[in-house]
């Protein structure tokens, strides 16, 4: 896998913004063979819906994404698959909050 932390953050930020969210990076914890990104999105335009938190782990050969309230993490083989999963989650959360 060739994606680095900054590429992943840029892609997720663009995805969140394109889907009507503001994106937050709550820091990074780095371990020897993986990077753990603590991320959050919040609906734009003063929307009072809650902040949505999730964690992306960049492992050596795949991504793992864990969403608040979902017990089982999702595993992705590349950045495009990761972005699709995050987009589906954002759209689902948007419908549930209405």
């Amino acid at each position: 896998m060739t994606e680095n932390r900054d590429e992943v953050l840029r892609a997720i930020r663009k995805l969140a913004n394109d889907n009507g969210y503001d994106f937050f990076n709550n820091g990074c914890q780095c371990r020897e063979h993986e990077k753990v990104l603590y991320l959050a999105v919040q609906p734009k335009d003063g929307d009072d819906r809650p902040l949505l938190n999730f964690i992306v782990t960049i492992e050596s050969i795949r991504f793992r994404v864990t969403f608040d309230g979902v017990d089982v993490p999702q595993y992705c083989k590349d950045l495009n698959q990761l972005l699709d999963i995050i987009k589906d989650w954002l759209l689902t959360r948007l419908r549930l909050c209405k």
Side-chain angles (χ1 to χ4, degrees):
M1 186 167 56
T2 60
E3 291 85 356
N4 65 34
R5 175 184 177 269
D6 292 330
E7 290 175 49
V8 172
L9 289 173
R10 272 193 300 275
I12 294 172
R13 181 175 287 112
K14 180 178 181 337
L15 172 73
N17 289 335
D18 288 350
N19 284 277
Y21 290 89
D22 285 324
F23 168 81
F24 301 94
N25 177 12
N26 299 331
C28 170
Q29 290 186 353
C30 297
R31 299 182 188 144
E32 185 173 332
H33 294 293
E34 64 181 35
K35 294 179 183 177
V36 181
L37 306 173
Y38 294 89
L39 309 173
V41 295
Q42 178 177 352
K44 289 185 178 180
D45 300 324
D47 198 325
D48 61 353
R49 285 177 283 182
L51 192 70
L52 301 174
N53 296 293
F54 60 106
I55 300 168
V56 172
T57 304
I58 305 170
E59 299 176 343
S60 59
I61 59 170
R62 64 183 179 181
F63 294 103
R64 181 177 69 232
V65 60
T66 307
F67 300 109
D68 269 2
V70 179
D71 293 334
V72 180
Q74 298 265 351
Y75 293 92
C76 314
K77 62 182 182 220
D78 59 34
L79 183 57
N80 288 331
Q81 186 181 16
L82 174 70
L83 294 174
D84 286 343
I85 288 171
I86 294 170
K87 181 177 179 180
D88 289 345
W89 175 71
L90 291 175
L91 294 174
T92 300
R93 298 304 304 166
L94 183 63
R95 285 192 296 270
L96 291 175
C97 290
K98 285 186 177 180

Short mmCIF file of all heavy atoms in Angstrom, two decimals, residues 34-59:
data_model
loop_
_atom_site.label_atom_id
_atom_site.label_comp_id
_atom_site.label_asym_id
_atom_site.label_seq_id
_atom_site.Cartn_x
_atom_site.Cartn_y
_atom_site.Cartn_z
N GLU A 34 2.05 0.82 12.04
CA GLU A 34 0.75 1.34 11.67
C GLU A 34 0.58 2.76 12.17
O GLU A 34 1.29 3.20 13.06
CB GLU A 34 -0.37 0.45 12.19
CG GLU A 34 -0.44 0.38 13.70
CD GLU A 34 -1.55 -0.55 14.18
OE1 GLU A 34 -1.81 -1.56 13.52
OE2 GLU A 34 -2.14 -0.25 15.21
N LYS A 35 -0.34 3.47 11.57
CA LYS A 35 -0.69 4.81 12.03
C LYS A 35 -2.17 4.80 12.33
O LYS A 35 -2.97 4.30 11.55
CB LYS A 35 -0.38 5.84 10.95
CG LYS A 35 1.10 5.97 10.67
CD LYS A 35 1.36 6.97 9.59
CE LYS A 35 2.85 7.02 9.27
NZ LYS A 35 3.14 7.93 8.18
N VAL A 36 -2.53 5.37 13.46
CA VAL A 36 -3.92 5.43 13.88
C VAL A 36 -4.36 6.88 13.83
O VAL A 36 -3.79 7.73 14.52
CB VAL A 36 -4.10 4.86 15.31
CG1 VAL A 36 -5.56 4.92 15.71
CG2 VAL A 36 -3.56 3.44 15.38
N LEU A 37 -5.36 7.19 12.99
CA LEU A 37 -5.87 8.54 12.82
C LEU A 37 -7.23 8.64 13.51
O LEU A 37 -8.15 7.91 13.16
CB LEU A 37 -6.02 8.86 11.33
CG LEU A 37 -4.78 8.65 10.47
CD1 LEU A 37 -5.12 8.85 9.01
CD2 LEU A 37 -3.67 9.59 10.89
N TYR A 38 -7.33 9.54 14.47
CA TYR A 38 -8.59 9.78 15.16
C TYR A 38 -9.27 10.93 14.45
O TYR A 38 -8.78 12.06 14.47
CB TYR A 38 -8.34 10.09 16.63
CG TYR A 38 -7.78 8.90 17.36
CD1 TYR A 38 -6.41 8.67 17.41
CD2 TYR A 38 -8.62 7.97 17.95
CE1 TYR A 38 -5.89 7.55 18.04
CE2 TYR A 38 -8.11 6.85 18.58
CZ TYR A 38 -6.75 6.65 18.62
OH TYR A 38 -6.25 5.54 19.25
N LEU A 39 -10.38 10.66 13.79
CA LEU A 39 -11.02 11.61 12.90
C LEU A 39 -12.46 11.87 13.32
O LEU A 39 -13.07 11.08 14.03
CB LEU A 39 -11.01 11.05 11.47
CG LEU A 39 -9.64 10.59 10.97
CD1 LEU A 39 -9.78 9.89 9.63
CD2 LEU A 39 -8.69 11.75 10.87
N ALA A 40 -12.99 13.00 12.85
CA ALA A 40 -14.38 13.33 13.13
C ALA A 40 -14.91 14.22 12.03
O ALA A 40 -14.16 14.93 11.37
CB ALA A 40 -14.49 14.04 14.48
N VAL A 41 -16.23 14.18 11.84
CA VAL A 41 -16.90 15.09 10.92
C VAL A 41 -18.11 15.68 11.63
O VAL A 41 -18.68 15.08 12.53
CB VAL A 41 -17.35 14.40 9.61
CG1 VAL A 41 -16.15 13.93 8.80
CG2 VAL A 41 -18.29 13.26 9.88
N GLN A 42 -18.46 16.88 11.21
CA GLN A 42 -19.62 17.56 11.76
C GLN A 42 -20.39 18.19 10.60
O GLN A 42 -19.77 18.79 9.71
CB GLN A 42 -19.18 18.66 12.73
CG GLN A 42 -20.33 19.44 13.31
CD GLN A 42 -19.84 20.46 14.32
OE1 GLN A 42 -18.68 20.48 14.69
NE2 GLN A 42 -20.74 21.31 14.75
N PRO A 43 -21.71 18.05 10.58
CA PRO A 43 -22.47 18.69 9.50
C PRO A 43 -22.20 20.20 9.45
O PRO A 43 -21.98 20.84 10.47
CB PRO A 43 -23.92 18.41 9.89
CG PRO A 43 -23.83 17.15 10.70
CD PRO A 43 -22.54 17.27 11.47
N LYS A 44 -22.21 20.76 8.25
CA LYS A 44 -21.93 22.18 8.04
C LYS A 44 -23.15 23.04 8.32
O LYS A 44 -24.22 22.54 8.65
CB LYS A 44 -21.46 22.42 6.61
CG LYS A 44 -20.09 21.88 6.31
CD LYS A 44 -19.68 22.25 4.90
CE LYS A 44 -18.28 21.76 4.60
NZ LYS A 44 -17.86 22.12 3.26
N ASP A 45 -22.97 24.32 8.14
CA ASP A 45 -24.04 25.32 8.20
C ASP A 45 -24.73 25.38 9.55
O ASP A 45 -25.95 25.51 9.63
CB ASP A 45 -25.08 25.07 7.10
CG ASP A 45 -24.48 25.15 5.72
OD1 ASP A 45 -23.57 25.98 5.51
OD2 ASP A 45 -24.92 24.38 4.86
N GLY A 46 -23.98 25.25 10.64
CA GLY A 46 -24.55 25.39 11.97
C GLY A 46 -25.53 24.29 12.35
O GLY A 46 -26.32 24.45 13.27
N ASP A 47 -25.49 23.20 11.63
CA ASP A 47 -26.37 22.07 11.92
C ASP A 47 -26.07 21.57 13.33
O ASP A 47 -24.92 21.46 13.72
CB ASP A 47 -26.12 20.98 10.89
CG ASP A 47 -27.23 19.96 10.82
OD1 ASP A 47 -27.83 19.66 11.87
OD2 ASP A 47 -27.50 19.47 9.72
N ASP A 48 -27.09 21.26 14.10
CA ASP A 48 -26.88 20.86 15.50
C ASP A 48 -26.77 19.35 15.69
O ASP A 48 -26.78 18.86 16.81
CB ASP A 48 -27.98 21.43 16.40
CG ASP A 48 -29.36 20.93 16.01
OD1 ASP A 48 -29.50 20.27 14.97
OD2 ASP A 48 -30.31 21.23 16.77
N ARG A 49 -26.65 18.61 14.60
CA ARG A 49 -26.45 17.17 14.74
C ARG A 49 -25.09 16.90 15.39
O ARG A 49 -24.18 17.72 15.30
CB ARG A 49 -26.52 16.48 13.38
CG ARG A 49 -27.96 16.38 12.88
CD ARG A 49 -28.00 15.76 11.54
NE ARG A 49 -27.58 16.78 10.58
CZ ARG A 49 -27.54 16.59 9.28
NH1 ARG A 49 -27.86 15.43 8.77
NH2 ARG A 49 -27.16 17.55 8.47
N PRO A 50 -24.95 15.77 16.03
CA PRO A 50 -23.71 15.52 16.78
C PRO A 50 -22.51 15.27 15.89
O PRO A 50 -22.63 14.90 14.73
CB PRO A 50 -24.04 14.26 17.59
CG PRO A 50 -25.11 13.58 16.81
CD PRO A 50 -25.91 14.67 16.16
N LEU A 51 -21.35 15.48 16.47
CA LEU A 51 -20.07 15.16 15.84
C LEU A 51 -20.02 13.65 15.62
O LEU A 51 -20.45 12.88 16.48
CB LEU A 51 -18.95 15.59 16.79
CG LEU A 51 -17.53 15.63 16.29
CD1 LEU A 51 -17.37 16.78 15.29
CD2 LEU A 51 -16.59 15.83 17.46
N LEU A 52 -19.53 13.22 14.47
CA LEU A 52 -19.41 11.80 14.16
C LEU A 52 -17.93 11.42 14.20
O LEU A 52 -17.12 11.98 13.47
CB LEU A 52 -19.98 11.51 12.77
CG LEU A 52 -21.45 11.88 12.55
CD1 LEU A 52 -21.83 11.67 11.09
CD2 LEU A 52 -22.34 11.08 13.46
N ASN A 53 -17.59 10.50 15.06
CA ASN A 53 -16.20 10.09 15.25
C ASN A 53 -15.92 8.76 14.59
O ASN A 53 -16.78 7.87 14.58
CB ASN A 53 -15.88 9.98 16.74
CG ASN A 53 -15.99 11.30 17.44
OD1 ASN A 53 -15.22 12.20 17.18
ND2 ASN A 53 -16.97 11.42 18.32
N PHE A 54 -14.72 8.61 14.07
CA PHE A 54 -14.29 7.33 13.54
C PHE A 54 -12.76 7.27 13.59
O PHE A 54 -12.09 8.27 13.80
CB PHE A 54 -14.81 7.08 12.12
CG PHE A 54 -14.40 8.09 11.09
CD1 PHE A 54 -13.44 7.77 10.14
CD2 PHE A 54 -14.98 9.34 11.02
CE1 PHE A 54 -13.07 8.68 9.16
CE2 PHE A 54 -14.63 10.26 10.05
CZ PHE A 54 -13.67 9.92 9.11
N ILE A 55 -12.24 6.07 13.44
CA ILE A 55 -10.80 5.83 13.52
C ILE A 55 -10.36 5.10 12.26
O ILE A 55 -10.97 4.10 11.88
CB ILE A 55 -10.44 4.97 14.76
CG1 ILE A 55 -10.88 5.67 16.04
CG2 ILE A 55 -8.95 4.66 14.80
CD1 ILE A 55 -10.83 4.78 17.27
N VAL A 56 -9.32 5.61 11.63
CA VAL A 56 -8.72 4.94 10.47
C VAL A 56 -7.32 4.49 10.87
O VAL A 56 -6.51 5.29 11.33
CB VAL A 56 -8.64 5.88 9.25
CG1 VAL A 56 -7.85 5.22 8.13
CG2 VAL A 56 -10.04 6.27 8.77
N THR A 57 -7.07 3.22 10.69
CA THR A 57 -5.75 2.66 10.97
C THR A 57 -5.11 2.30 9.64
O THR A 57 -5.68 1.58 8.84
CB THR A 57 -5.86 1.41 11.85
OG1 THR A 57 -6.57 1.74 13.04
CG2 THR A 57 -4.48 0.88 12.22
N ILE A 58 -3.92 2.86 9.40
CA ILE A 58 -3.17 2.56 8.19
C ILE A 58 -2.19 1.45 8.55
O ILE A 58 -1.18 1.69 9.21
CB ILE A 58 -2.43 3.81 7.68
CG1 ILE A 58 -3.39 4.97 7.48
CG2 ILE A 58 -1.67 3.49 6.40
CD1 ILE A 58 -2.71 6.31 7.21
N GLU A 59 -2.53 0.25 8.15
CA GLU A 59 -1.67 -0.89 8.42
C GLU A 59 -0.72 -1.08 7.24
O GLU A 59 -0.78 -0.36 6.26
CB GLU A 59 -2.51 -2.14 8.66
CG GLU A 59 -3.44 -1.99 9.87
CD GLU A 59 -4.36 -3.16 10.08
OE1 GLU A 59 -4.55 -3.96 9.14
OE2 GLU A 59 -4.91 -3.27 11.18
#
